[in-house]
Amino acid sequence: MSKSQHDRTHHAKKATGIGDPQCFKGEAGPAKFKVGDRVRIKDLPDLFYTRSQVYTRGALATVAAVVYESPAAEDEAWDNTDKPEWFYSVVFRQKDLWPDYPDLYANDTVETELSERWLEPA
Amino acid sequence: MAEKHKPAPMVDEVSDFEVLEMAVRELAIEKGLFSAEDHRRWTEYVHTLGPLPAARLVAKAWLDPEYKKLAVADGVKASLEVGVDWINDMPTGFGTPSDYCNLRVLEDTPKLKHVVVCTLCSCYPRPILGQSPEWYRTPNYRRRLVRWPRQVLAEFGLQLPEDVEVRVEDSNQKSRFIVLPVRPEGTEGWSEDQLAEIVTRDCLIGVAVPKPGVTANAKRPVHPAVHPVHHDH
Amino acid sequence: MSTSDMKDPHAGTTAHELDTSPISLLEKVRTQGRVWGDLCEQYGVTNPDPPWKVSLDGTCDALSAEACALPLLERRAEEDDLSETIYADVPFPERQLLALAHSMIRRGLIDEDELARRMEAVDRRLNSA
């Protein structure tokens, strides 16, 4: 059996009736960040596949929620599901993403989810 | 005098596209890319989906503060009360590989307006909202909303005061999102059904706000992106 | 343009280089096929989607689910590229269908000649009923 087929059967057994990402609950260990923490998005090299948008790289954000545990998208794409990490919902001020975002709309934000490997304390 | 009913109009020819879809599907099944059974389950499942459960979730939340708290804290549990089971409805028993099982309900306030996009590929909360509209899938919407949200919303006819926080939710991982808009004025004493009727799909994505008397999505022409941008390789 | 515009809000997908040069079989469908909007007008039908749309969506789901022959993010990125180049003038969902067939042929999942033969067989079957 190819690795991909094996992992899909394994995943089905693990997740049936429980859900995905629910099936990874408890596997990531302690969360490194908490709600309110200021973080910066790391600019890790994307080998082939990422769900971490280029526009977020290097930007400052605030953790709005600690959402779930799951293998990082970058690992899951290759069926490496052994090491789930915590995922966070982070909020960016638009002004911190685009320097020429109008001051008139100073409160505007973008929120998105990123896994722990992408975050460092700001 | 008995009136003969006219039969409903039907397209009476087979287009090349219809032929192409069938041919691709048959070859894919023969080559083992997926089974006929799997394909049938997917199409049957997609057939069942539409925006009504999400509209009812919002209507219920407007009427019941405890349900609203539940919806914001646990979207998957709140979905069960409108007949949507993110985990078990799809015969896989663990949700669908493109929708997953983590609905997050985004609560608007008078000072905070959410609008949802998936810049990477157009992920959408299908189990509770049905299939996405074409404009949601276009690069035009996906690239521009996160960068120039107010301009894009204005094109949808929605303008918000400057001090309101417009929060673009970029749905890039396993969570899926619907917006819980602010309940509009002029709906006092309304029933759940009446309220649900004005919560259109566009309100649930966040590009419109509910209004008494407005029960349909606006028709939208799709414009090509002015500056086509290529993917980062 | 300011430097901030160089950060493409849409980037962050795969490194796969898609060949967007036209495929003659699909060009034939693109130029000769009748799109749903035209059929609706001619026959007075008001359904927003053609009858094969749900089946197409089922195919896309099944492809990214089972043996994962064509992962979602890759298929969508290719669909975006094709929708802005050779299939830009095709309405949705015909565009989605052409993009899917294009991706599958370029990735070697199906072969252009066998697809052409299968289309002929399907056409005969559907039109003989």
Side-chain angles (χ1 to χ4, degrees):
Chain A
M1 239 197 217
S2 73
K3 179 171 202 291
S4 169
Q5 283 174 288
H6 166 77
D7 282 328
R8 266 165 223 294
T9 316
H10 172 70
H11 182 68
K13 282 201 192 117
K14 176 177 176 148
T16 299
I18 300 171
D20 180 349
Q22 288 84 339
C23 58
F24 299 107
K25 208 162 178 182
E27 296 185 14
K32 186 168 169 191
F33 301 100
K34 58 186 192 305
V35 172
D37 283 353
R38 292 284 281 162
V39 292
R40 188 176 294 278
I41 314 310
K42 293 192 210 172
D43 197 6
L44 303 175
D46 320 323
L47 289 182
F48 286 104
Y49 183 98
T50 185
R51 278 196 165 269
S52 200
Q53 306 90 318
V54 169
Y55 72 81
T56 66
R57 309 294 176 85
L60 270 178
T62 306
V63 175
V66 182
V67 287
Y68 49 79
E69 295 157 273
S70 165
E74 295 74 20
D75 288 342
E76 213 168 32
W78 302 100
D79 281 323
N80 295 333
T81 55
D82 301 331
K83 291 210 280 283
E85 24 194 275
W86 277 100
F87 278 61
Y88 302 87
S89 192
V90 300
V91 174
F92 302 86
R93 289 172 52 227
Q94 283 282 31
K95 197 73 186 167
D96 290 335
L97 290 176
W98 326 102
D100 58 356
Y101 198 83
D103 290 330
L104 191 60
Y105 310 122
N107 293 331
D108 286 358
T109 51
V110 173
E111 182 176 22
T112 195
E113 293 182 347
L114 290 166
S115 70
E116 198 168 279
R117 69 178 57 178
W118 291 97
L119 308 179
E120 62 190 6
Chain B
M1 198 154 41
E3 190 180 44
K4 192 149 190 253
H5 288 284
K6 272 200 237 168
M10 265 180 47
V11 169
D12 200 18
E13 68 181 76
V14 176
S15 74
D16 291 349
F17 293 100
E18 186 174 354
V19 171
L20 175 61
E21 187 277 320
M22 196 172 288
V24 166
R25 185 197 343 139
E26 288 182 5
L27 286 178
I29 290 168
E30 278 167 31
K31 288 171 186 298
L33 302 183
F34 50 83
S35 70
E37 173 65 20
D38 287 327
H39 183 269
R40 189 185 61 78
R41 280 202 327 238
W42 285 110
T43 42
E44 280 180 4
Y45 177 62
V46 171
H47 257 305
T48 66
L49 305 178
L52 300 182
R56 281 187 30 239
L57 183 151
V58 168
K60 273 181 172 333
W62 284 344
L63 290 172
D64 179 359
E66 287 307 308
Y67 182 73
K68 186 192 241 199
K69 281 200 207 124
L70 173 68
V72 173
D74 189 340
V76 173
K77 195 150 176 224
S79 296
L80 288 173
E81 291 194 33
V82 291
V84 173
D85 184 342
W86 282 75
I87 296 169
N88 296 301
D89 279 351
M90 186 55 212
T92 56
F94 52 89
T96 76
S98 48
D99 305 308
Y100 294 102
C101 310
N102 201 58
L103 177 69
R104 285 177 54 195
V105 177
L106 304 171
E107 185 183 1
D108 281 351
T109 70
K111 289 295 175 202
L112 173 62
K113 178 85 202 75
H114 293 90
V115 55
V116 183
V117 66
C118 171
T119 58
L120 295 179
C121 55
S122 59
C123 295
Y124 193 76
R126 292 188 308 172
I128 201 170
L129 195 51
Q131 276 292 47
S132 52
E134 187 200 349
W135 55 261
Y136 182 88
R137 306 166 52 111
T138 60
N140 185 35
Y141 178 76
R142 286 156 44 214
R143 288 171 194 156
R144 294 172 61 227
L145 186 76
V146 75
R147 179 71 181 83
W148 296 285
R150 298 209 176 227
Q151 286 87 323
V152 174
L153 290 175
E155 290 165 16
F156 282 88
L158 182 58
Q159 272 165 349
L160 297 148
E162 311 154 0
D163 62 328
V164 165
E165 176 185 339
V166 172
R167 178 173 293 189
V168 177
E169 189 75 44
D170 190 353
S171 172
N172 63 331
Q173 308 273 5
K174 291 186 176 178
S175 289
R176 298 289 173 267
F177 300 89
I178 57 172
V179 175
L180 174 53
V182 172
R183 178 176 175 175
E185 309 241 317
T187 63
E188 295 72 32
W190 283 25
S191 69
E192 187 183 299
D193 284 347
Q194 286 174 293
L195 290 171
E197 238 195 322
I198 62 167
V199 184
T200 62
R201 176 205 64 206
D202 286 359
C203 294
L204 292 153
I205 297 172
V207 297
V209 291
K211 295 190 171 96
V214 178
T215 56
N217 301 302
K219 279 223 168 287
R220 293 172 207 298
V222 175
H223 301 293
V226 173
H227 300 294
V229 184
H230 298 286
H231 294 284
D232 235 343
H233 288 298
Chain C
M1 283 280 173
S2 68
T3 51
S4 63
D5 290 285
M6 282 167 58
K7 268 202 278 180
D8 175 9
H10 184 67
T13 54
T14 67
H16 177 80
E17 284 285 347
L18 174 73
D19 182 354
T20 58
S21 59
I23 295 175
S24 46
L25 172 66
L26 301 180
E27 282 300 289
K28 195 154 159 264
V29 175
R30 179 181 74 77
T31 53
Q32 295 175 12
R34 301 201 64 204
V35 298
W36 185 244
D38 293 343
L39 292 170
C40 281
E41 242 187 86
Q42 178 178 340
Y43 291 92
V45 166
T46 54
N47 303 42
D49 291 325
W52 46 263
K53 167 78 167 92
V54 181
S55 179
L56 171 65
D57 287 335
T59 296
C60 291
D61 276 330
L63 280 173
S64 64
E66 306 313 317
C68 209
L70 184 46
L72 175 73
L73 210 59
E74 298 190 27
R75 181 181 61 76
R76 290 295 288 111
E78 291 173 11
E79 184 183 326
D80 285 346
D81 282 343
L82 292 165
S83 300
E84 292 189 313
T85 53
I86 58 175
Y87 301 137
D89 60 350
V90 183
F92 182 82
E94 285 82 3
R95 195 168 67 225
Q96 180 190 350
L97 173 59
L98 286 175
L100 174 69
H102 193 111
S103 290
M104 290 176 77
I105 291 171
R106 287 282 179 243
R107 284 162 176 271
L109 296 174
I110 57 181
D111 172 76
E112 187 184 354
D113 290 333
E114 72 181 336
L115 180 58
R117 286 195 303 271
R118 180 57 59 107
M119 284 183 69
E120 280 165 28
V122 168
D123 192 70
R124 277 197 304 273
R125 201 192 316 149
L126 292 180
N127 284 312
S128 69

